[in-house]
Amino acid sequence: MTVDLKRGEVTDDPDYRWSTNKLNKNELLLLLGLAVQSTDGRTYTVHSPSTNFGAEVDRLCRELHDAINWDARPTFDPETGVPSFSPEIGPLAREAIYYGAESFYLHQFDKFARMRYARDEAWLKLNAGGSIDELADIGQHIVHEMTKRMSAVGHMRGEGRKFSAHEFTDSLILAKEELVEKFGERATAFLARFATPAMNANADFVSPFSVNAVTIAPLIDLGEYVYIPNHYRLIESLYESPFYWMQGDTAYNATASDNRGYFVEETSANILRTVFSKEHVFENVKLYKGKKVVGEIDVLVVYGEYLLIGQAKSKRLTLKARAGDSKALKVDFEGAIQHPFRQAQECAALIRASVRGVDPNGNEVTFPDLPRIFLLVLLSDGFPAATFLSRAMLSRKGKDAPVIWDLGVLDCVTRIFRTPVKLLYYLKCRADAFHNMISDSEYNFIGFHLQSKLVLSEEANMMIIDRDFATVVDDFMIAADLKVDREPPEGILERVKFPFVTPLMDELQQTHPIAAALALDLYDFSSSALETLSELIKKTREEVRRGKAIKAFSLLTGSGGFTYAIVARQDERSRLAAHSIGQKHKYDRRADRWYVILNDVGTDNPIDAMLPLLYPWEVSSIEDEHSKNVQSVFRSTATELKSGNRPEDEES
């Protein structure tokens, strides 16, 4: 992959960048796993320029992929010709798992590995030759050296120099002596854990889905040198492997498992605090019905009307499940995704039934009366093909759909959608797309949302999102891998500006959290509807400037509606009039939610006051009489805003 360091962009042609003809990580490790089984050292010293070895390897890799796909092929009814798939999920999932996109980026593995094993410092120093920081520093040094060398090769190629295949390989070889000089005995301990001998190794590797020593120890030991075939896998191993070392120590096993749980909960909460701030994010909130604990939420966000209920897990996909064993896959899916989703659903139901929330310090957590709830399954490790498997395997009650993110995706999402409103809107779109939009990577969904909003068009009932939509996300995150500062990509709603409406939406993002819900409702409007709204605000402001005391319009939204009242002067009378109009429409439309915005033409603010009307709708003779009285004073309708239509104005 070629990266322009100044712009922080991958410069490879998109067709090449996303080509399935390239070796992916698993295919490369497969070839290396076979290579180290050799008993002849000359394998690594003899190079024949005329060989067709590379072409033959490509052919065999394609044959393997075709064979995996063949196992998942549909069968066809001989009479009707209708295709049907095997009820066994394993063969279907195996291809998605083996050839699916990666979830973490390189710099995330390093950052999170240091956090993940920080509590295990004493054990690691005693049993692995160094703390996680010391081990990670060695890994980062190796990555830095390889990046520096490959950058130099790329620069020379740009100047016209030609390189042979074995010269490229030579640039990925590092002297052990260099590591020992810099890191001492820690380097020796590191190599003992992360290097596989170049010969007579990996004898148990008998199929693409059996234990591969090179996957566990991805450096190839060449005696005085090590070969670094894939530095991504090296840093990934630093994130994964210490947990398995600790599992082998029965005396420490329970402590290690507890530490993993603390890590994913604490890290998820801290990531969410970068968007929602400290006062809105809670960990380990217990739910009480009376004096009895009836539920517990690992990570909870309370922001205005919104609740994010996150249940965190440290469950990985086992080797047996990766190989396509349907029973093992179902067990792993239950532990990693189904169980925490069920917990989140149960907690959501309890909150809607008015239980109490209490944080670990004994402080009560206040829930909104009409909560809008998002359910998050938060994973410490990448769960390959999670998007595909969740759509196929998840059992759920009601309409709630989960967002299933590992820490890599959660970290990426919060760095792109940096305000609560932007993140909440993406969560809404992602949950809405759960069953009718398909892709093999969460990053494709993010990229699509940035380009055009993650919303299914009215003309379609299903959409498949290709991998190249992730390009904009990839560029941003790979820049971070290379320590290149780069602003996050802008979404469509930031690129397209509407007079009056854009400042209004900006203000809704910055004002009280209760305003977030109306901002999300406006984000759902089409561009033509937002253009009409912009023209309507302009026209109404002009009429008030010409002498009206108040002029208002009321619009329906996906969750209820809002009244936008423009006044010549903001005083108690104008506030009462605007409130009365909004109250009428809320009742007439049988809505639980209605928002009233007051805009004074004498200020530059798009919002001078906001009056949220948030309470369950119910039949009321008092409200019915109030509606009739307001109608007699104001021409008052609430309209669904579509291109070309305009609501009637209300004036006094």
Side-chain angles (χ1 to χ4, degrees):
M1 183 177 293
T2 307
V3 181
D4 184 325
L5 293 178
K6 290 183 179 179
R7 292 184 300 167
E9 293 179 359
V10 178
T11 59
D12 294 334
D13 181 87
D15 289 341
Y16 170 76
R17 180 172 175 177
W18 303 108
S19 173
T20 57
N21 292 326
K22 295 193 304 179
L23 288 178
N24 77 352
K25 183 189 71 178
N26 288 329
E27 290 172 320
L28 174 62
L29 293 171
L30 166 65
L31 297 176
L32 290 165
L34 295 173
V36 298
Q37 292 178 340
S38 171
T39 59
D40 188 351
R42 291 186 303 163
T43 300
Y44 307 98
T45 59
V46 177
H47 173 71
S48 175
S50 61
T51 183
N52 66 345
F53 180 75
E56 183 66 8
V57 167
D58 284 338
R59 186 190 68 77
L60 290 171
C61 285
R62 172 51 59 189
E63 184 178 317
L64 172 65
H65 199 161
D66 291 343
I68 291 172
N69 278 328
W70 180 256
D71 288 343
R73 71 193 185 282
T75 57
F76 294 86
D77 186 289
E79 294 183 4
T80 65
V82 175
S84 64
F85 288 92
S86 165
E88 292 296 315
I89 188 65
L92 284 169
R94 184 168 58 180
E95 192 277 340
I97 292 169
Y98 197 78
Y99 295 99
E102 301 292 348
S103 185
F104 282 69
Y105 286 87
L106 193 64
H107 69 281
Q108 293 175 318
F109 278 132
D110 178 68
K111 175 176 68 175
F112 291 136
R114 296 172 191 267
M115 299 176 184
R116 190 177 201 181
Y117 303 109
R119 288 184 172 91
D120 305 303
E121 181 174 352
W123 189 95
L124 287 170
K125 282 188 172 182
L126 182 64
N127 295 277
S131 68
I132 187 59
D133 283 336
E134 291 168 334
L135 296 174
D137 285 346
I138 297 173
Q140 280 301 302
H141 173 78
I142 293 172
V143 170
H144 175 73
E145 284 299 310
M146 295 306 102
T147 303
K148 184 170 65 175
R149 293 182 186 189
M150 294 308 291
S151 296
V153 168
H155 180 72
M156 287 186 281
R157 288 181 72 185
E159 293 179 340
R161 180 170 170 181
K162 304 294 184 182
F163 290 90
S164 65
H166 74 274
E167 285 177 314
F168 277 121
T169 301
D170 288 346
S171 68
L172 299 176
I173 292 175
L174 188 66
K176 291 181 181 178
E177 184 180 3
E178 178 183 329
L179 292 176
V180 173
E181 284 181 0
K182 186 171 181 63
F183 297 103
E185 287 303 312
R186 291 194 302 276
T188 303
F190 182 93
L191 293 172
R193 292 283 188 177
F194 292 103
T196 298
M199 294 179 294
N200 297 307
N202 211 19
D204 293 332
F205 184 52
V206 295
S207 86
F209 304 102
S210 57
V211 175
N212 185 354
V214 176
T215 299
I216 300 168
L219 301 177
I220 307 301
D221 190 335
L222 301 174
E224 295 181 3
Y225 299 88
V226 286
Y227 169 49
I228 302 95
N230 187 285
H231 56 258
Y232 179 93
R233 179 55 202 164
L234 173 62
I235 304 304
E236 184 180 24
S237 296
L238 273 162
Y239 182 73
E240 295 175 350
S241 294
F243 176 68
Y244 295 104
W245 306 341
M246 295 170 200
Q247 274 195 322
D249 184 342
T250 54
Y252 193 72
N253 193 290
T255 300
S257 294
D258 288 344
N259 289 346
R260 298 300 76 72
Y262 295 142
F263 159 72
V264 65
E265 293 171 11
E266 184 179 59
T267 305
S268 298
N270 285 336
I271 291 172
L272 288 166
R273 287 184 183 108
T274 64
V275 174
F276 292 101
S277 73
K278 183 179 179 180
E279 65 269 23
H280 297 293
V281 182
F282 307 86
E283 298 174 54
N284 300 312
V285 173
K286 286 185 169 59
L287 303 179
Y288 284 85
K289 190 173 184 179
K291 295 184 178 181
K292 182 181 179 182
V293 176
V294 291
E296 184 172 357
I297 301 172
D298 293 335
V299 182
L300 173 70
V301 176
V302 182
Y303 192 84
E305 297 175 52
Y306 291 95
L307 298 180
L308 275 60
I309 297 176
Q311 301 292 25
K313 288 295 175 185
S314 293
K315 177 76 175 72
R316 287 181 52 77
L317 195 62
T318 59
L319 197 62
K320 196 172 183 181
R322 289 171 183 267
D325 184 289
S326 296
K327 185 176 181 180
L329 184 62
K330 289 173 183 176
V331 169
D332 289 352
F333 184 85
E334 169 68 28
I337 295 174
Q338 184 68 66
H339 178 62
F341 173 62
R342 191 182 301 118
Q343 286 181 312
Q345 274 197 313
E346 290 169 355
C347 289
L350 289 167
I351 289 172
R352 289 176 176 132
S354 302
V355 297
R356 293 186 305 115
V358 178
D359 72 11
N361 297 320
N363 302 313
E364 188 138 343
V365 178
T366 303
F367 300 129
D369 293 332
L370 293 171
R372 305 192 194 202
I373 297 176
F374 294 124
L375 308 180
L376 278 66
V377 175
L378 303 168
L379 305 174
S380 62
D381 295 87
F383 197 92
T387 53
F388 163 75
L389 294 173
S390 298
R391 189 174 179 276
M393 298 175 66
L394 191 73
S395 173
R396 60 193 181 111
K397 298 177 182 178
K399 296 181 179 180
D400 288 330
V403 172
I404 301 162
W405 289 342
D406 58 50
L407 292 178
V409 176
L410 179 65
D411 178 57
C412 176
V413 166
T414 55
R415 287 158 66 180
I416 290 177
F417 305 112
R418 294 186 174 185
T419 68
V421 166
K422 289 177 183 176
L423 181 53
L424 287 168
Y425 186 61
Y426 181 69
L427 277 167
K428 175 187 180 300
C429 291
R430 183 65 188 92
D432 289 347
F434 185 80
H435 265 302
N436 56 23
M437 301 179 83
I438 306 169
S439 194
D440 71 341
S441 168
E442 285 296 319
Y443 297 120
N444 302 340
F445 289 112
I446 299 170
F448 188 92
H449 185 74
L450 290 169
Q451 178 173 308
S452 57
K453 291 202 297 188
L454 190 64
V455 177
L456 191 69
S457 66
E458 294 180 359
E459 297 78 23
N461 56 22
M462 185 68 68
M463 181 184 293
I464 297 175
I465 301 176
D466 289 336
R467 188 171 294 186
D468 57 355
F469 279 101
T471 298
V472 64
V473 181
D474 230 28
D475 283 344
F476 174 61
M477 296 300 285
I478 289 173
D481 282 346
L482 299 170
K483 297 181 171 57
V484 176
D485 288 332
R486 177 178 171 152
E487 287 297 310
E490 284 189 332
I492 182 67
L493 294 169
E494 287 75 53
R495 296 194 301 272
V496 179
K497 306 293 184 182
F498 301 96
F500 301 105
V501 172
T502 296
L504 171 61
M505 295 172 78
D506 289 343
E507 184 70 15
L508 286 170
Q509 291 196 58
Q510 297 169 15
T511 188
H512 194 277
I514 207 68
L518 180 55
L520 265 68
D521 286 342
L522 291 180
Y523 272 9
D524 262 341
F525 278 25
S526 67
S527 58
S528 61
L530 291 174
E531 287 176 2
T532 303
L533 176 58
S534 176
E535 294 168 5
L536 190 57
I537 294 174
K538 179 182 178 182
K539 170 180 172 288
T540 308
R541 286 176 64 86
E542 289 172 350
E543 292 194 34
V544 171
R545 281 200 175 96
R546 288 198 294 266
K548 300 289 185 182
I550 179 174
K551 235 176 134 51
F553 57 84
S554 298
L555 301 176
L556 300 178
T557 67
S559 65
F562 71 100
T563 295
Y564 196 89
I566 299 175
V567 298
R569 185 177 63 184
Q570 184 186 179
D571 55 20
E572 190 58 33
R573 182 181 178 186
S574 64
R575 290 170 65 90
L576 180 60
H579 183 275
S580 295
I581 294 168
Q583 185 179 352
K584 166 194 163 49
H585 290 310
K586 180 184 185 302
Y587 183 74
D588 290 351
R589 290 291 176 170
R590 301 190 173 195
D592 291 334
R593 300 176 176 88
W594 202 273
Y595 306 88
V596 179
I597 295 175
L598 209 64
N599 178 219
D600 188 337
V601 293
T603 73
D604 294 328
N605 304 324
I607 302 173
D608 291 294
M610 187 168 177
L611 314 171
L613 307 175
L614 308 175
Y615 47 87
W617 184 91
E618 58 184 23
V619 175
S620 168
S621 58
I622 296 174
E623 290 278 7
D624 192 56
E625 186 66 25
H626 172 268
S627 177
K628 292 175 183 177
N629 291 337
V630 173
Q631 186 65 38
S632 69
V633 177
F634 302 99
R635 280 202 325 272
S636 190
T637 59
T639 307
E640 183 180 2
L641 190 58
K642 294 182 178 179
S643 180
N645 78 339
R646 296 179 184 280
E648 294 182 25
D649 300 319
E650 300 129 353
E651 57 184 86
S652 66

